[in-house]
Amino acid sequence: MTFIFNILPLMQPTHEPTATELTGPLVVALAYDGLCTFEFAIVAEVFGLDRPEMGRNWYRYATAAVEPGVLRAHGGLTFTTAGGIELLDRADLIVAAGWKGAGVPVPPDLVAKLLSAWERGARLASICSGAFVLAATGLLDGRRAATHWRYAEKLAACHPEIDVDADVLYVEENRIYTSAGSAAGIDLMLHIIRQDFGAEAANSVARRLVMPPHRSGGQAQFIERAVPTDRNHRLAEALDKIRCELSLDWTVERMAALVAMSTRTFMRRFFEATSLSPGQWLIEQRVAQAQRLLEGTALSVEQVAAEVGFGSVEVMRHHFRERLSISPRDYRRTFASAAQTQLNASPVARGKKR
């Protein structure tokens, strides 16, 4: 089923003050054929929704089609907009909410409009693959930028002058904002609100979105780091045994003894199988198991540290911050299931923690 909808150039709220009475910064979201629906909706929801409680100086919002005619969006949607690329001439903040693809050229007229806007003092922002739009302007050259971790290598290869950071949720440099995949765009938009109107305004918008006003850490915590293991390799059985008994004191010598190898041979074969040293691999396994326990059990952080072999919360915290840019407690608050949260709040769970 195909739906057709119109995106008005200025969002018209149903309560006072009206859009024409608003005097705040004009935010313009780019629309294009193949529109990334979720990323676009983030910008429209944050900046285009009626928020009379914010007063007259709240953001004005518009959508600008970067190409003429009927456009398509993910999800079987077909749409037109009442505003075109000319809206960029008066925008205070322009957001590239995704892009058609890493290898799809950005139209020269759009590049020119973005450059002109930035030169007159406007801010530019991107969500996820929208970083490729900003990269096409050359404004990211010599600067740090974020994008979804799946696109990071491609962005760096296409634009080697950019310092691509695949770990952070968003980056801000000289009126240019880039963010990681999809939902990280919400983090960036809230950051911009916090800059413009303060923490209370950002918190208010976050509450309406039913999400935290600030997420700890970066996108590294969302990346699956599977360890490649050849099941026909003689190490496979030993690695499985170690995973099942992470609480033990696994020295290199003890690991080598499992497969009846000398330490030197074991180190070489281990790296061939995993591309990691035994110590690095063991830490990765312990962090991964700690993540699972923090998400799905009522064990205290101290108990989790002991269960996975870190020995102390301090050691586990160090490795969490080094690999995930977040503390174990913040990780649990972010990722623990609703059911687990209720369990932790129960009298029985509280009694166990004492």
Side-chain angles (χ1 to χ4, degrees), residues 168-190:
V168 296
L169 291 176
Y170 56 83
V171 172
E172 173 195 351
E173 283 208 16
N174 197 15
R175 293 185 287 111
I176 302 176
Y177 304 77
T178 53
S179 62
S182 300
I186 303 177
D187 296 279
L188 176 56
M189 301 303 110
L190 290 175

Side-chain angles (χ1 to χ4, degrees), residues 227-245:
V227 176
T229 302
D230 180 358
R231 286 293 173 181
N232 296 319
H233 197 282
R234 62 186 295 188
L235 286 174
E237 186 176 342
L239 298 185
D240 286 341
K241 178 177 176 61
I242 295 170
R243 288 191 191 97
C244 292
E245 299 178 342

Side-chain angles (χ1 to χ4, degrees), residues 310-340:
F310 278 131
S312 71
V313 175
E314 289 72 22
V315 174
M316 184 167 74
R317 184 184 300 116
H318 167 77
H319 291 300
F320 258 65
R321 289 199 177 280
E322 186 176 68
R323 284 161 176 76
L324 307 179
S325 300
I326 191 172
S327 72
R329 286 186 171 84
D330 284 343
Y331 184 90
R332 166 167 274 171
R333 278 194 290 267
T334 303
F335 291 99
S337 65
Q340 186 56 47

Side-chain angles (χ1 to χ4, degrees), residues 172-332:
E172 173 195 351
E173 283 208 16
N174 197 15
R175 293 185 287 111
I176 302 176
Y177 304 77
T178 53
S179 62
S182 300
I186 303 177
D187 296 279
L188 176 56
M189 301 303 110
L190 290 175
H191 171 70
I192 291 173
I193 293 173
R194 192 177 299 111
Q195 283 187 327
D196 293 347
F197 293 95
E200 186 175 346
N203 293 345
S204 175
V205 174
R207 283 194 298 271
R208 193 158 174 179
L209 293 171
V210 194
M211 70 166 291
H214 176 74
R215 286 192 291 169
S216 301
Q219 64 174 325
Q221 61 195 285
F222 302 96
I223 303 173
E224 293 184 10
R225 289 185 170 86
V227 176
T229 302
D230 180 358
R231 286 293 173 181
N232 296 319
H233 197 282
R234 62 186 295 188
L235 286 174
E237 186 176 342
L239 298 185
D240 286 341
K241 178 177 176 61
I242 295 170
R243 288 191 191 97
C244 292
E245 299 178 342
L246 289 171
S247 61
L248 299 181
D249 181 18
W250 288 107
T251 63
V252 174
E253 291 76 16
R254 186 172 187 175
M255 293 181 186
L258 280 180
V259 289
M261 293 181 185
S262 68
T263 301
R264 184 174 180 178
T265 300
F266 172 77
M267 293 278 286
R268 184 178 70 255
R269 296 283 178 83
F270 194 98
F271 187 82
E272 290 172 355
T274 67
S275 299
L276 295 168
S277 71
Q280 291 172 325
W281 178 86
L282 185 59
I283 291 171
E284 294 284 355
Q285 300 306 306
R286 284 172 167 162
V287 168
Q289 179 62 8
Q291 288 176 271
R292 289 189 282 270
L293 293 176
L294 291 168
E295 291 176 25
T297 75
L299 294 174
S300 68
V301 175
E302 291 78 8
Q303 289 171 318
V304 170
E307 186 75 17
V308 302
F310 278 131
S312 71
V313 175
E314 289 72 22
V315 174
M316 184 167 74
R317 184 184 300 116
H318 167 77
H319 291 300
F320 258 65
R321 289 199 177 280
E322 186 176 68
R323 284 161 176 76
L324 307 179
S325 300
I326 191 172
S327 72
R329 286 186 171 84
D330 284 343
Y331 184 90
R332 166 167 274 171

